[in-house]
Amino acid sequence: MSVVYNWEFVGSVIDSVEVSLLEMWRRNDHCWTSSHGSESESCERRKKTKDSKFSISGFSSFSSTSILIIILSLLSHQLSPTHGAVNSPPLITKQPPTDTIFFQVAQRVDENDKPFIIECEAEGYPESQYRWIKNGKDFKWQAYDDRISQQPGRGTLVVTAPRDEDIGQYQCFAYNSFGTATSNSVFLRKAELSSFKDDTLETLVAEEGKPFDIPCNAPDGWPKPRVDWMFQTPNGAIKNINSSRITVDPEGTLRFSNVTQSDMSTEFTYACSAYSSFRNEYKLGNRIFLSVNPTSSSSVQNKVAPYQQYMTKKGTVAIRGQALELWCIVGGTPLPEIRWSRTNGRMPYERVEYDNYGKTLRILNVDTEDAGSYDCDASNGVGVPVSYSIGVKIEAAPYFTVEPEVINAAEDESIEFRCEAKGEPSPIIKWIHNGKPIEEAPPNPRRSLEGPLIVFRNLLKSDTGNYGCNASNSLGYVYKDVYINVLAMPAEITEGPKDAVVMEGKDAMMTCRVFGAPRPLVRWLKNEIELTGGRYKVLGNGDLQIDTVSFSDAGAYNCFASNKLGNATSSGKLIVKTPTRIIDGPENYQVTAGNPVKFGCTAVSDDTLPLQIEWLNDGAPIDFDSEPRYVKLQDNSLTIDKTTELDSGLYTCLAKTEYDNITANATLIVQEVPNQPRLLSVECRPRDAAVRWKAMGDNRAPILHYIIQFNTSFTPESWEIASKDVPATESSYTVSMKPWANYTFRVIAKNSIGASPASDHSDVCTTSEDVPFTNPENVKADKAEPRSLRITWTPMSEIDHNAPKFKYEVQWKEDDEHHAWRTETIHDWKTNEFIIPNQPIYRPYLIKVRAINEKGQSNVAPTIVRGYSGQDTPTQAPSNFTLVTKISAKRVLVSWDPVSPESLQGKFEGYKIETWTDADGEDVYRPTIVNYDVTKAVVDKLIPFSRNYFRVFAFNSDHQGPYSTILDVITDEGTPGPVEDLEVRPLGVSSLHLKWNKPEQPNGILLGYQIKYASVNGTEVKWNELNERLPNISHPEIVTAKLAGLKADTVYRVYVAAMTKEGAGEESFVEERTFAENATMIAKPDFQWDHEQTLNGLAAVRVSWKPNFEASGRPGSHFFVQYREYGRTKWNTAEEVFNEDFDVIRGLEPGLTYIFRVVAVDGIKSMPSDEQEIYTYAIDAPTIRAKAASSTTGWFIGLIVAIAFLVLILILVCIIKRNRGGKYAVYEREIAHGRLDYDEGGFREYAQAPSEEPTGRTPMVSDFKPPHESDSDSMVEYGEEGKFTEDGSFIGQYGVKKKDPNLPSPLATFV
């Protein structure tokens, strides 16, 4: 440890004194080497010792004399050589820079000298002495009176009054009895700034719109002054020039990219300034009065192509570590736009700055990788763009790649100093020993120079001394002075092992830093057994490395250090933990911009360590507060909403504990449409234009092609496509132009995501007038009114007019040799037809239409087209329209007599047969068209099992003739049409649920439905695995079904066809996939129940369920019923039901309460429903349907009264019906409507049609639960054996023998 003493005595401040209580040499932050290993890490020792300072304070109870006596006693005690102070050569800790120090000498009365220092400070023991040399000779600073002094205890020179004679090269040497340390050599230079040679006001004249330069004859100075230009008013005030058009180049010339009237000197002149940053001094000169000659053209027409004003020379040298500035000043009107690029490498944008409105490219901290070619492109849409390339070469002042280090070693060891440096040009390395070139040092047989090394073998104490390495080239030098100190000290552990925590499978490092001379031997022991070889490795610095740690490696470890002068020991504990693992890391994403992404990350760690999961983007932690689109969910997954291209990058899941961490990476690529292309230029020629552009980035989806668009003055708001598939490798395209038009162009880039924004439009290209190059298209004569000729064409767009006064010349004649061409001129170019009245019906004509403008007729002959005058309505209907034969339920053969050709009055196209049914109506017909030479045809569009009507008529190209007589036929029953709205949904891993509607065209009496299914592999159906669900559905009202026994996670194609007696109809099909084994949990099922009537003296309950598609989870592949008696815990399990949605549980004891539930099963998973209590009633009772329990007692009593009243009415009806005799009217009406599915017994008004689901009103008794121990509330009995007589009369309803007096009255359950 160290003590820092601070005190003040007799008005003078004494510097803090640091006293080491162990060894003062530890203040030196150095390392030592030996023949037993490489460089030692004992340099850590000084840091820890140096940090162990404390100040003595709180001595208020002592007198100042007492405190001083205590301090001086401690100092004399600690500084005594007998207490272990370590001798060492000097080591430079502060020194001058390697280049130049400027100083300022007062030159005016109002100016003061600026004092300065030249630093030199060293540490070592004994304390260092200092000497200086100037210009290679000893420098006696004491000879300069009090103008130059040296700081006490240091070598730093303080110059309080600089003079011109102080200029020179200075170097410091620190020395003691063990060596001499050498500092950097520095040059002192006087800072100066000269004045301008000429300050005469000069007048210059510039042309408006053109580039202009004003040079500056700047004065000299040290350091080199910064040259700038300013506005100076008549009263002497100055103002900075800030304009994108005006730039000062590195040589001080003022460059106008283009001159405007505002640049004229009216109330100011232009003045050049030179500024010395060291002296903080301005000098003004070269004052200019600028006159501007106006241009004769307007500002819009005054355009100047880009012109090079100042460019950095093509071969430029930059110095490594400094800033590089590349200049590109280009004049022109409008002001050229400047773009920088690099042709042979990536632009280092993270170190790039742009200045002077983009005219200066500045690269900070230049490195060798920045060498290459840099391009400046300037364009303003006028003339040829300027393109200039600058080659950059990188040179470097020397810099160390391997520095020599201080070495503390013991006698008989061997050590080496290594010094390696780089630079451009390559540096020369020289060694210095105790302030002199090593060539001038006394010879030493144990020392040898071996390339970049100085090697010492078999060290002696006399080898102690300073050695310096100097690497220099034409750009400068780098120097470092170190020493070798030969010591003799017992072994000591300076940093012993500490308790360490390491994860299983990782390498462990137990620290044991030692010191001693000779170098101590380090051994490691665990449980008193030395650790050597295998997974154990003792490093050169004494640390123990354990490879691939296991839990058995936990425990205490001892470090034992020894040399011939003594030994030391220290111990520490190793704790082994389970490593953190990521068991489910994020996956790579490639998405289109705007879509969300989700990165998952699941990790586990040691049970004793809290686990944290963090997310990083490109190595930086994600700030969820500043970016709300980034959300970390409770499961530690990362979601990004509405992604953009900037979200692309590497995303890292970091799972960490206190002692370890692990990462998993995923790449996100967000693709967007390309950036807007930059339109570089357009070259206008008489009949075409060359468009040039530059791609500005594809946003991670390669550009596929470019679209070239144009618009004209005729359609300024719309853009036409000149080419839509220009290859992505192209950057120019030639577009053809038509006469008499103003064209502008733009470019769009397209990638797989979409089209980019369009580039800025080009300048206007104007073409001259010419005759039309084309004639109107689609010329024809048709669709005319009877006895007229209608000539039509497509109007030509204005872009095809080619000149003013555009018109059409229409010509026509009958197609024979006797008629001449007739002509009509149409002056409205938008017109698209011309009608000539009073023409024969359906006569052939020759027609043509030509384009004409003021330059003349089109340069191509118009196409002659043959057409016809207008047609009229046919006058004759087909006669003898006859049904020849019925072929099938959908097809019949009909015939008719042909119509006469004279009756057609136009081009005979054929016959049309129309058919319909009563259900369709005459207006909704199905047509069948036959050729004009056919008088017999098969009509195949009939509706089976219906009355179909027919008629036929002849028609020409424009009109239809009169109808024939109407025939009708009743077709036989056929196969049905396809079922409607087929829907297939997965129930689980092995079943599907089907639902559909009846076919729109049953084509007969539906009998049921046929279901087939087969698995699908990709797009191929496995026909060899086509299965039919058996039995078929035999009731047309059942429109749901279930497919069971399927494979998990498999796509099935399911076919459903309706059936009549003629067989299965057209199939409808849907493809659906069953759930995978690891799909979501099963949804809780729901069920209903009914009492079933039985004859064996036991009760039965019908339990039915529906797939639960509403809840989250899968409904379940199949189901089974579980039940138990109330009060018991063991469940009775019914058989599993695979294809139905109900089950009947029989054999239940009547008069008991049962607990029922339905269990949904899917694979190995199952989910029970909520439980329901069901009370079983006496046997042979009518069917009872489940209903929710009454909410209040009053409601229940009212309902019982209402039921009793209905029973009374029913009894009266039965008596009346018995007296009347015969069957019930309801039954008769059902028979009349074809309802034959009732049996003969019971009250048919109350019987139920077969159905899968309960219909109608649900009785209240479903949830009725009689008390388990209560008196019976019995009602009037109607005899011992209730039954119906043969004629249906009522005799003793519900006359059941009572088995339990506590049972409720059966009458109360009747609906």
Side-chain angles (χ1 to χ4, degrees), residues 61 112 332 389 502 531 607 646 655 698 870 883 961 1155 1262 1270:
S61 60
N112 296 322
S389 182
V502 69
L531 304 175
D607 294 338
L646 295 177
D698 58 14
L883 175 62
I1155 308 298
S1262 169
S1270 63

Side-chain angles (χ1 to χ4, degrees), residues 274 449 669 715 933 1021 1073:
L449 283 174
I669 299 176
T715 56
D933 56 351
V1021 179
R1073 181 186 295 274

Side-chain angles (χ1 to χ4, degrees), residues 883-895 936-942 944 950 969-973 1062:
L883 175 62
V884 179
T885 183
K886 290 167 56 176
I887 301 174
S888 68
K890 291 185 178 182
R891 306 172 71 213
V892 296
L893 177 64
V894 296
S895 66
K936 183 182 292 186
V938 173
V939 181
D940 58 0
K941 298 181 180 179
L942 306 185
F950 311 86
V969 63
I970 297 177
T971 51
D972 298 331
E973 191 171 0
E1062 295 298 319

Side-chain angles (χ1 to χ4, degrees), residues 211-213 224 247-257 307-314 316 325-331 338 340 356 358-360 376 378 386 388 390:
F212 190 72
D213 301 336
K224 185 178 179 181
T247 310
V248 180
D249 69 20
E251 298 174 359
T253 301
L254 184 64
R255 309 277 184 176
F256 293 80
S257 296
Y307 168 79
Q308 293 185 13
Q309 289 186 281
Y310 180 85
M311 303 290 188
T312 300
K313 63 181 181 179
K314 289 183 175 291
T316 295
E325 286 189 351
L326 302 179
W327 290 75
C328 181
I329 303 177
V330 179
I338 295 176
W340 289 93
N356 296 312
K359 300 170 189 175
T360 305
C376 163
V386 168
Y388 186 82
I390 303 171

Side-chain angles (χ1 to χ4, degrees), residues 97 104 248 382 476 534 651 674 791 909 927 937 1023 1093 1104:
Q104 179 176 330
V248 180
V382 182
Y651 288 81
I791 302 173
E909 296 289 351
W1023 297 109
Q1093 190 172 5
S1104 59

